[in-house]
Amino acid sequence: MKKPFNIQTLIRPSIQKLVPYSSARNEYEGSEGIFLDANENPFNTGLNRYPDPVHTTLKKAISASRHVSENNLLLGNGSDEVIDLLFRTVCEPGKHTCITLPPTYGMYSVSAAINDVEVVEVPLTENFQPVTEKILQHITSETRIIFFCSPNNPSGNCLAENSIKEILNRFQGLVVIDEAYIDFSTQTSWLTYLTEYPNLVVLQTFSKAWGLAGIRLGMLFANQELIRALHKVKPPYNVNALTQRIALQALENTAQTHSWIQAVISQRDVVKSVLSTLSFVEKVYPSDANFLLVKCKRAAEVFAFLKQEKIIVRNRSQVPGCEGCLRISIGTMEENIQLLEKLKQFDEQENHPEI
Ligand SMILES: *Cc1c(COP(=O)(O)O)cnc(C)c1O
């Protein structure tokens, strides 16, 4: 059973004590008036005012669309910023540690290194599933965060629910589930468990399904007390006015996003089935995301051939656990047709008796 635990004990004492910067826009929240409090340019350019530091309108819209209270939501300059904020809020540099499950998203360990937080790696199995007992064995009194990426980048699969639940129940630190690709998955989001587990942190992003990687908007959902602490640490204007505006527009046009998601999912199936017919393809891993991990004979040659044809995929063959693998994002139908044609061409060359 769950041991009772207080999220406050995870927050660094310096952050607990911290009196956050209070901007002009924090101190007067009305929208009507003559604003002479922030040294802005008074002439209207559409952007002459500082943005809302607590993202009130945007958070309302996101919380309505995700059915989660605004009090459980923090917005950042991409998921990358919210990952960094997590480290800075709960990990003492040079003391606390985190656990990652490679092969996985590279930013967890980069962000950990920047914050001088040691990373303990507990590799996924051959089929890219967590080994619960191993994870539990590697937890120490200094472990503050465990990162699960589900669907996982670069493998594409969702991580076993029972494994994550066991860790949520038995670990007295933060369990982060990065759901950057959740919209392409048949599995339901962990957001539904937010009220059940005080140590659950769910990350989502506007960079993938929403088609807005360029605006840099990441979402972090968690226990209210953690959200409050993270707000103290974040830079006052971490989500700019243009980003807030564009994201709001996207939330008003969810039909567009849903149709993109459907298109990508159906193309994923097409690409997968054609790839499976190619003789140099050893395995196409199951994917719940908008990319496929493909194990190839001579992966480096396939990669170089595609590159020379100006088709750029990600060579993951040097990554432990991904030997011989390319990661291929799902493009538009036209792009996928070109990719598959080139790969068939490569296949025919390879099978030529003189080579
Ligand atoms: C793409 C991706 C993100 C998105 O990061 P942003 O900073 O929000 O663009 C987050 N996590 C994973 C695993 C990803 O692959």
Short mmCIF file of all heavy atoms in Angstrom, two decimals, residues 77-81 83 104-105 108 149 151-153 178-181 203-208 213 216-219 291 327, ligand 1:
data_model
loop_
_atom_site.label_atom_id
_atom_site.label_comp_id
_atom_site.label_asym_id
_atom_site.label_seq_id
_atom_site.Cartn_x
_atom_site.Cartn_y
_atom_site.Cartn_z
N ASN A 77 8.57 27.14 -21.32
CA ASN A 77 9.14 27.36 -22.64
C ASN A 77 9.60 26.00 -23.19
O ASN A 77 10.78 25.67 -23.20
CB ASN A 77 10.31 28.34 -22.49
CG ASN A 77 10.88 28.78 -23.83
OD1 ASN A 77 10.58 28.19 -24.86
ND2 ASN A 77 11.69 29.80 -23.81
N GLY A 78 8.64 25.19 -23.61
CA GLY A 78 8.91 23.82 -24.04
C GLY A 78 9.00 22.88 -22.84
O GLY A 78 9.16 23.35 -21.69
N SER A 79 8.92 21.58 -23.10
CA SER A 79 9.10 20.60 -22.01
C SER A 79 10.49 20.73 -21.44
O SER A 79 10.72 20.45 -20.27
CB SER A 79 8.96 19.17 -22.53
OG SER A 79 7.80 19.04 -23.28
N ASP A 80 11.43 21.14 -22.29
CA ASP A 80 12.81 21.25 -21.84
C ASP A 80 12.91 22.19 -20.63
O ASP A 80 13.64 21.91 -19.69
CB ASP A 80 13.69 21.77 -22.99
CG ASP A 80 13.73 20.78 -24.14
OD1 ASP A 80 13.32 19.61 -23.95
OD2 ASP A 80 14.17 21.17 -25.24
N GLU A 81 12.17 23.29 -20.67
CA GLU A 81 12.24 24.20 -19.52
C GLU A 81 11.61 23.57 -18.27
O GLU A 81 12.15 23.70 -17.17
CB GLU A 81 11.56 25.55 -19.79
CG GLU A 81 11.76 26.48 -18.59
CD GLU A 81 11.01 27.81 -18.66
OE1 GLU A 81 9.86 27.83 -19.13
OE2 GLU A 81 11.59 28.81 -18.22
N ILE A 83 11.41 20.48 -17.46
CA ILE A 83 12.31 19.44 -16.93
C ILE A 83 13.39 20.11 -16.07
O ILE A 83 13.68 19.68 -14.95
CB ILE A 83 12.93 18.61 -18.08
CG1 ILE A 83 11.85 17.77 -18.78
CG2 ILE A 83 14.07 17.72 -17.57
CD1 ILE A 83 12.26 17.17 -20.10
N THR A 104 16.25 6.37 -24.05
CA THR A 104 15.14 7.31 -23.89
C THR A 104 15.55 8.71 -24.31
O THR A 104 16.66 8.92 -24.81
CB THR A 104 14.58 7.25 -22.43
OG1 THR A 104 13.33 7.94 -22.38
CG2 THR A 104 15.55 7.90 -21.43
N TYR A 105 14.67 9.65 -24.09
CA TYR A 105 14.87 11.04 -24.48
C TYR A 105 16.13 11.59 -23.82
O TYR A 105 16.33 11.44 -22.61
CB TYR A 105 13.64 11.82 -24.03
CG TYR A 105 13.55 13.26 -24.50
CD1 TYR A 105 13.83 13.62 -25.81
CD2 TYR A 105 13.14 14.26 -23.61
CE1 TYR A 105 13.70 14.94 -26.23
CE2 TYR A 105 13.00 15.58 -24.03
CZ TYR A 105 13.29 15.91 -25.33
OH TYR A 105 13.16 17.20 -25.74
N TYR A 108 16.69 14.45 -20.41
CA TYR A 108 16.67 14.21 -18.96
C TYR A 108 18.10 14.24 -18.41
O TYR A 108 18.38 14.87 -17.40
CB TYR A 108 16.01 12.87 -18.59
CG TYR A 108 14.70 12.59 -19.29
CD1 TYR A 108 14.42 11.33 -19.83
CD2 TYR A 108 13.73 13.59 -19.41
CE1 TYR A 108 13.23 11.07 -20.48
CE2 TYR A 108 12.54 13.33 -20.07
CZ TYR A 108 12.29 12.07 -20.60
OH TYR A 108 11.12 11.81 -21.25
N CYS A 149 9.25 7.68 -20.00
CA CYS A 149 8.81 8.35 -21.22
C CYS A 149 7.85 7.40 -21.92
O CYS A 149 8.25 6.32 -22.35
CB CYS A 149 10.03 8.64 -22.09
SG CYS A 149 9.65 9.63 -23.54
N PRO A 151 4.39 7.34 -24.58
CA PRO A 151 5.22 6.50 -25.43
C PRO A 151 6.68 6.95 -25.40
O PRO A 151 6.96 8.13 -25.32
CB PRO A 151 4.62 6.70 -26.83
CG PRO A 151 3.22 7.17 -26.61
CD PRO A 151 3.25 7.94 -25.34
N ASN A 152 7.57 5.95 -25.46
CA ASN A 152 8.99 6.25 -25.30
C ASN A 152 9.64 6.69 -26.61
O ASN A 152 9.40 6.12 -27.66
CB ASN A 152 9.71 4.99 -24.77
CG ASN A 152 11.17 5.24 -24.45
OD1 ASN A 152 11.52 6.26 -23.86
ND2 ASN A 152 12.04 4.31 -24.84
N ASN A 153 10.47 7.71 -26.50
CA ASN A 153 11.34 8.13 -27.59
C ASN A 153 12.72 7.57 -27.28
O ASN A 153 13.22 7.83 -26.17
CB ASN A 153 11.37 9.67 -27.63
CG ASN A 153 12.27 10.22 -28.69
OD1 ASN A 153 12.83 9.50 -29.50
ND2 ASN A 153 12.42 11.55 -28.69
N ASP A 178 6.60 11.36 -19.16
CA ASP A 178 6.67 12.28 -20.29
C ASP A 178 5.74 11.75 -21.39
O ASP A 178 6.01 10.72 -22.00
CB ASP A 178 8.12 12.37 -20.78
CG ASP A 178 8.32 13.42 -21.86
OD1 ASP A 178 7.32 13.84 -22.49
OD2 ASP A 178 9.48 13.82 -22.09
N GLU A 179 4.66 12.49 -21.60
CA GLU A 179 3.65 12.07 -22.58
C GLU A 179 3.67 12.93 -23.85
O GLU A 179 2.63 13.27 -24.40
CB GLU A 179 2.25 12.13 -21.95
CG GLU A 179 2.04 11.11 -20.84
CD GLU A 179 0.59 11.00 -20.38
OE1 GLU A 179 -0.17 11.98 -20.52
OE2 GLU A 179 0.21 9.92 -19.89
N ALA A 180 4.87 13.25 -24.32
CA ALA A 180 4.98 14.10 -25.52
C ALA A 180 4.20 13.52 -26.71
O ALA A 180 3.70 14.26 -27.55
CB ALA A 180 6.45 14.27 -25.90
N TYR A 181 4.09 12.17 -26.74
CA TYR A 181 3.47 11.51 -27.90
C TYR A 181 2.12 10.88 -27.57
O TYR A 181 1.61 10.08 -28.34
CB TYR A 181 4.44 10.43 -28.44
CG TYR A 181 5.75 11.03 -28.87
CD1 TYR A 181 6.86 10.99 -28.03
CD2 TYR A 181 5.86 11.69 -30.09
CE1 TYR A 181 8.06 11.57 -28.41
CE2 TYR A 181 7.06 12.28 -30.47
CZ TYR A 181 8.16 12.21 -29.63
OH TYR A 181 9.34 12.79 -30.00
N LEU A 203 4.11 15.20 -18.14
CA LEU A 203 4.55 16.24 -19.07
C LEU A 203 3.86 16.05 -20.42
O LEU A 203 3.78 14.93 -20.92
CB LEU A 203 6.06 16.16 -19.31
CG LEU A 203 7.00 16.14 -18.10
CD1 LEU A 203 8.45 16.19 -18.58
CD2 LEU A 203 6.71 17.31 -17.18
N GLN A 204 3.36 17.14 -20.98
CA GLN A 204 2.86 17.12 -22.35
C GLN A 204 3.40 18.35 -23.07
O GLN A 204 4.02 19.21 -22.44
CB GLN A 204 1.32 17.10 -22.36
CG GLN A 204 0.76 15.80 -21.77
CD GLN A 204 -0.75 15.65 -21.89
OE1 GLN A 204 -1.43 16.56 -22.36
NE2 GLN A 204 -1.27 14.51 -21.46
N THR A 205 3.18 18.42 -24.37
CA THR A 205 3.80 19.49 -25.15
C THR A 205 2.94 19.88 -26.34
O THR A 205 2.14 19.07 -26.82
CB THR A 205 5.19 19.04 -25.66
OG1 THR A 205 5.77 20.09 -26.44
CG2 THR A 205 5.12 17.78 -26.49
N PHE A 206 3.13 21.11 -26.82
CA PHE A 206 2.47 21.55 -28.06
C PHE A 206 3.35 21.25 -29.28
O PHE A 206 2.99 21.59 -30.40
CB PHE A 206 2.15 23.05 -27.99
CG PHE A 206 0.85 23.33 -27.27
CD1 PHE A 206 0.76 23.22 -25.89
CD2 PHE A 206 -0.30 23.67 -27.98
CE1 PHE A 206 -0.43 23.44 -25.22
CE2 PHE A 206 -1.51 23.90 -27.32
CZ PHE A 206 -1.57 23.78 -25.93
N SER A 207 4.50 20.60 -29.05
CA SER A 207 5.48 20.45 -30.13
C SER A 207 5.17 19.33 -31.12
O SER A 207 5.75 19.30 -32.20
CB SER A 207 6.87 20.18 -29.55
OG SER A 207 7.33 21.29 -28.82
N LYS A 208 4.33 18.38 -30.77
CA LYS A 208 4.17 17.23 -31.66
C LYS A 208 2.78 17.24 -32.31
O LYS A 208 2.62 17.79 -33.37
CB LYS A 208 4.43 15.93 -30.88
CG LYS A 208 5.78 15.94 -30.14
CD LYS A 208 6.98 15.76 -31.07
CE LYS A 208 8.28 16.36 -30.58
NZ LYS A 208 8.85 15.80 -29.37
N ALA A 213 5.80 23.13 -32.62
CA ALA A 213 7.14 23.04 -32.03
C ALA A 213 7.82 24.42 -31.98
O ALA A 213 8.60 24.70 -31.08
CB ALA A 213 8.00 22.05 -32.82
N ARG A 216 7.32 26.84 -28.72
CA ARG A 216 7.92 26.41 -27.47
C ARG A 216 6.90 26.51 -26.32
O ARG A 216 6.89 27.47 -25.56
CB ARG A 216 9.18 27.22 -27.10
CG ARG A 216 10.21 27.40 -28.19
CD ARG A 216 10.68 26.09 -28.76
NE ARG A 216 11.24 25.21 -27.75
CZ ARG A 216 10.84 23.94 -27.58
NH1 ARG A 216 9.88 23.41 -28.32
NH2 ARG A 216 11.39 23.22 -26.65
N LEU A 217 6.06 25.51 -26.20
CA LEU A 217 5.13 25.48 -25.08
C LEU A 217 5.01 24.07 -24.52
O LEU A 217 4.58 23.15 -25.21
CB LEU A 217 3.75 26.01 -25.50
CG LEU A 217 2.73 26.12 -24.35
CD1 LEU A 217 3.20 27.10 -23.28
CD2 LEU A 217 1.35 26.55 -24.88
N GLY A 218 5.45 23.93 -23.28
CA GLY A 218 5.37 22.65 -22.59
C GLY A 218 4.42 22.75 -21.41
O GLY A 218 4.26 23.84 -20.83
N MET A 219 3.81 21.63 -21.06
CA MET A 219 2.86 21.60 -19.94
C MET A 219 3.34 20.59 -18.90
O MET A 219 3.80 19.51 -19.25
CB MET A 219 1.48 21.14 -20.42
CG MET A 219 0.84 22.04 -21.44
SD MET A 219 -0.58 21.22 -22.21
CE MET A 219 0.17 20.49 -23.65
N PHE A 291 6.37 8.26 -34.99
CA PHE A 291 7.61 7.82 -35.63
C PHE A 291 7.71 6.31 -35.49
O PHE A 291 6.96 5.70 -34.71
CB PHE A 291 8.84 8.50 -34.98
CG PHE A 291 8.94 8.26 -33.50
CD1 PHE A 291 9.52 7.11 -33.00
CD2 PHE A 291 8.43 9.19 -32.60
CE1 PHE A 291 9.61 6.88 -31.63
CE2 PHE A 291 8.51 8.96 -31.23
CZ PHE A 291 9.09 7.80 -30.74
N ARG A 327 15.44 5.91 -36.64
CA ARG A 327 14.14 6.42 -36.19
C ARG A 327 13.59 7.32 -37.29
O ARG A 327 14.22 8.28 -37.69
CB ARG A 327 14.29 7.21 -34.89
CG ARG A 327 12.95 7.48 -34.19
CD ARG A 327 13.09 8.55 -33.12
NE ARG A 327 13.36 9.84 -33.73
CZ ARG A 327 13.74 10.93 -33.06
NH1 ARG A 327 13.90 10.87 -31.75
NH2 ARG A 327 13.97 12.06 -33.67
C1 LIG B 1 9.80 15.99 -28.59
C2 LIG B 1 9.80 15.61 -27.17
C3 LIG B 1 9.47 16.53 -26.18
C4 LIG B 1 9.10 17.92 -26.53
O1 LIG B 1 9.96 18.83 -26.02
P1 LIG B 1 9.60 20.39 -26.18
O2 LIG B 1 10.69 21.04 -25.44
O3 LIG B 1 8.25 20.58 -25.56
O4 LIG B 1 9.59 20.69 -27.65
C5 LIG B 1 9.43 16.11 -24.86
N1 LIG B 1 9.71 14.84 -24.53
C6 LIG B 1 10.03 13.94 -25.47
C7 LIG B 1 10.29 12.54 -25.07
C8 LIG B 1 10.10 14.29 -26.81
O5 LIG B 1 10.45 13.38 -27.71
#
